[in-house]
Amino acid sequence: MASKTTVSNHIVLTSHPTGGQKPIEIKWGATDAKTRGPVVATPAGSGWRNAIGSYSGSYSVYRALAVAAGSLDPLHKPDLTNTAPAVDMGPFPQWTDPQKIVSIDPWGHRVEDVFADHIEAGIDVRPTMAVTRARLKVPELIAKHSGLHLEADGKVLLETGEVNVTKVAIEPVWHLPGIAQRFNTDEHTMRRSLFEQTGGMFSELVTRPDLHVFLPPIGGITVYLFGDVGAITDSNRQLSCRVHDECNGSDVFGSDICTCRPYLIHGIEDAIQTAQEGGAGVIVYNRKEGRALGEVTKFLVYNARKRQHGGDTADRYFERTECVAGVQDMRFQELMPDVLNWLGITRIDRFISMSNLKYDAIVGQGIEIVERIPIPEHMVPTDAKVEMDAKKAAGYFTNGEVPTAKELAKKHGRDLKDY
């Protein structure tokens, strides 16, 4: 139990009864937030830090530059007035299961509330999540929704083609023992590898074995929720879900060399329609550019594939990736289900994905997937057919028979154009 101690004419909290600045203990998977303890990762408060790394993920480097340039006070603490979640999320049973969530802080959006005592005592606890409401304006929907594909209902999909959503931003917070367990390795080996392969950026990984929480400098997650948020955990209502890994070239700029944006749009359409039918839709967007190999590596591979003798072929698609990166894929979907557990999901009725890696990771966490929905053939760009053939040959996609568009439409009582 933390005790109050007067130091330098102000109140602080310490877990040490004699007033020493021993880090506040984090009991990952505890039954409530106060017992679990706050994640404190502010460089300015080194005496109270109980986590390795820093808030803001990859953006922590920009904060450092802002301090160096004199535009940011290194002792600044955020004023969290009126920043509370726009929609109340959780808690759900998965939040207190240390094996269900290991890569995000389930209480990260509620620190102003659940850790108010710590903040009042001067400990700089910061949110690692934020929940807000927004409207999406997707060109494909605006062009198609009026009588052609989706009908505006004035609640989920507006007459303008805009879509009402609840939006969640999440920064990574890793519980190292749990991460190691997911990857079937021991914590010491993993910590040593993280230390060495980041050029020794985080010495505390090997010098502070008492600290088990790490905020890695990597991209986070954005979640888009369609329809009634309460339907996500209601077993009597349908849930549609797409877990999408970042592809800037396709998602933002419309490159037609892959199926990323078309599949994302298909996922959004299905999420909207499921929400309109009384269920809910979930889109999870992971910052894992180029199968987590990065965009530079991705473009180098593009060049290598196109310049090889015989051109770009499915049978040699991954060979060039392995030559440049040493591995086909570094997304490692083992951590991906954490956000689904955070949402309280136990069943996905319509999983908008053909990926075996994603399917296996989700089912392995005890989440039921009723049906897997492939990308409609007419949405696959011509230049992306090489990728599709290569992934099928490599076992990325389900080996089972994929229902025809006509079969899916009949089964769900939907228009054939939906598929």
Side-chain angles (χ1 to χ4, degrees):
M1 178 73 68
S3 60
K4 291 188 177 180
T5 305
T6 302
V7 179
S8 302
N9 297 320
H10 69 280
I11 301 295
V12 297
L13 278 182
T14 174
S15 59
H16 194 292
T18 61
Q21 289 189 350
K22 180 181 178 181
I24 300 169
E25 185 178 3
I26 295 177
K27 298 179 180 178
W28 200 265
T31 55
D32 60 84
K34 289 187 177 180
T35 304
R36 200 291 305 273
V39 173
V40 184
T42 308
S46 58
W48 305 109
R49 284 169 54 80
N50 59 11
I52 304 166
S54 181
Y55 292 119
S56 301
S58 58
Y59 293 98
S60 60
V61 177
Y62 288 103
R63 188 177 67 234
L65 289 175
V67 171
S71 59
L72 175 63
D73 181 353
L75 299 179
H76 170 76
K77 293 182 181 179
D79 179 354
L80 299 177
T81 303
N82 292 329
T83 62
V87 176
D88 191 26
M89 304 293 296
F92 300 108
Q94 295 94 318
W95 291 19
T96 56
D97 185 335
Q99 295 185 334
K100 292 293 186 183
I101 298 178
V102 300
S103 64
I104 59 179
D105 178 3
W107 308 98
H109 61 310
R110 298 176 61 179
V111 299
E112 184 186 14
D113 173 29
V114 297
F115 300 122
D117 290 346
H118 294 80
I119 295 173
E120 184 180 355
I123 296 179
D124 192 0
V125 187
R126 303 189 181 190
T128 56
M129 294 186 188
V131 183
T132 189
R133 294 185 187 274
R135 285 186 182 177
L136 302 184
K137 204 166 187 177
V138 182
E140 288 90 338
L141 298 182
I142 293 173
K144 293 167 60 177
H145 88 275
S146 183
L148 296 176
H149 188 79
L150 294 169
E151 293 291 343
D153 62 315
K155 187 175 181 181
V156 179
L157 179 62
L158 308 182
E159 290 290 347
T160 60
E162 296 172 298
V163 187
N164 283 323
V165 296
T166 297
K167 197 161 61 167
V168 186
I170 304 174
E171 294 171 1
V173 178
W174 287 6
H175 183 239
L176 293 173
I179 298 285
Q181 185 176 5
R182 286 279 180 94
F183 286 97
N184 296 313
T185 186
D186 64 274
E187 185 182 348
H188 173 77
T189 299
M190 187 185 67
R191 291 171 79 117
R192 172 63 64 176
S193 181
L194 287 169
F195 170 71
E196 292 176 348
Q197 297 303 316
T198 57
M201 287 174 61
F202 301 98
S203 60
E204 290 173 317
L205 286 167
V206 292
T207 63
R208 294 296 303 273
D210 59 314
L211 301 182
H212 296 285
V213 172
F214 176 42
L215 278 63
I218 60 175
I221 306 166
T222 309
V223 185
Y224 295 85
L225 308 176
F226 300 75
D228 178 10
V229 172
I232 295 174
T233 55
D234 187 343
S235 60
N236 294 316
R237 294 195 271 180
Q238 293 277 302
L239 178 65
S240 170
C241 176
R242 172 156 180 81
V243 177
H244 189 90
D245 293 328
E246 178 183 24
C247 178
N248 185 60
S250 178
D251 297 341
V252 179
F253 293 99
S255 171
D256 63 355
I257 199 171
C258 62
T259 60
C260 295
R261 182 177 176 88
Y263 219 161
L264 177 61
I265 297 301
H266 185 51
I268 291 173
E269 290 175 336
D270 202 277
I272 292 171
Q273 189 154 8
T274 302
Q276 289 179 326
E277 294 171 352
V282 173
I283 302 291
V284 177
Y285 195 88
N286 293 300
R287 302 291 177 180
K288 296 179 180 177
E289 179 64 61
R291 297 191 217 113
L293 301 172
E295 203 161 33
V296 170
T297 296
K298 183 178 182 179
F299 287 8
L300 293 174
V301 171
Y302 282 170
N303 287 342
R305 281 169 42 200
K306 293 175 181 178
R307 290 169 179 166
Q308 65 187 349
H309 181 70
D312 192 12
T313 59
D315 60 325
R316 300 177 66 187
Y317 179 90
F318 287 113
E319 177 186 329
R320 300 312 303 157
T321 303
E322 291 178 333
C323 287
V324 177
V327 66
Q328 290 184 6
D329 193 323
M330 288 199 303
R331 285 176 291 181
F332 298 118
Q333 301 292 355
E334 285 85 349
L335 303 179
M336 174 269 293
D338 283 21
V339 66
L340 304 179
N341 282 325
W342 180 76
L343 288 166
I345 293 173
T346 58
R347 188 191 74 214
I348 297 171
D349 297 284
R350 295 171 59 79
F351 185 49
I352 318 299
S353 172
M354 297 161 67
S355 168
N356 287 333
L357 293 173
K358 294 176 182 176
Y359 175 87
D360 291 345
I362 293 172
V363 173
Q365 277 289 300
I367 299 173
E368 179 189 2
I369 292 179
V370 178
E371 183 176 23
R372 300 164 73 174
I373 308 299
I375 184 172
E377 186 66 30
H378 71 272
M379 294 184 76
V380 178
T382 300
D383 286 349
K385 293 187 183 299
V386 169
E387 176 203 37
M388 295 292 283
D389 291 342
K391 286 186 174 181
K392 188 176 297 183
Y396 267 64
F397 297 160
T398 175
N399 292 323
E401 289 297 320
V402 175
T404 65
K406 188 174 182 180
E407 289 170 340
L408 287 171
K410 182 179 180 181
K411 178 177 180 179
H412 296 285
R414 294 185 174 186
D415 195 302
L416 184 61
K417 294 192 292 297
D418 295 353
Y419 298 89

